[in-house]
Amino acid sequence: MTILNDGERATSEVELGAAASLFRSLADPGRLVILQHLQQGEHRVRELTEHLGLAQSTVSAHLACLKGCGLVTSRAEGRASVFSLSVPAELVGVFQAAERLLEATGYAVDLCPVYGSTGTRK
């Protein structure tokens, strides 16, 4: 997949759609904080709810989304599921690139009337 058009070929709608889906999967603060915690290692849902102060159902729904997107994986341990990042190096790279982009733009995206902190679409 090529998100950036290298001039040799047009980026297909399928590729752009997949990229948009990836960014939507990362667009929720709850999912981002779960991914941050999973960077530190494996966690159970119970541990994440305790660390984050979110409801168990909320954490489970976010984990299901992230798992469906291929960003996290789980394994059974007794009666619990243990979650981890499925592609840790790539996710860290995305987060580092996002931090650089936010710094380079002076966090201007937060002022966006549509997607910013006071925008119409959160």
Side-chain angles (χ1 to χ4, degrees):
M1 172 191 292
T2 303
I3 295 174
L4 296 176
N5 188 335
D6 59 10
E8 293 181 22
R9 67 177 184 87
T11 304
S12 75
E13 287 186 37
V14 171
E15 291 171 324
L16 289 175
S21 295
L22 170 65
F23 287 114
R24 279 193 299 272
S25 75
L26 299 173
D28 185 277
R31 289 192 291 273
L32 285 176
V33 76
I34 287 170
L35 291 171
Q36 284 179 326
H37 270 72
L38 293 177
Q39 284 181 57
Q40 300 166 14
E42 296 180 323
H43 284 75
R44 293 169 186 75
V45 173
R46 180 185 49 79
E47 295 166 343
L48 290 168
T49 59
E50 290 172 2
H51 292 301
L52 307 176
L54 297 173
Q56 181 272 328
S57 60
T58 301
V59 171
S60 293
H62 285 319
L63 286 167
C65 172
L66 294 168
K67 188 173 181 180
C69 293
L71 301 177
V72 301
T73 187
S74 66
R75 63 179 176 79
E77 188 174 275
R79 293 177 48 185
S81 292
V82 180
F83 291 85
S84 61
L85 299 178
S86 59
V87 286
E90 290 81 357
L91 277 167
V92 168
V94 168
F95 292 150
Q96 289 171 337
E99 288 171 4
R100 289 190 306 272
L101 183 58
L102 287 166
E103 289 173 8
T105 61
Y107 290 77
V109 70
D110 197 42
L111 301 175
C112 174
V114 177
Y115 293 108
S117 60
T118 60
T120 59
R121 295 171 110 185
K122 290 186 184 181

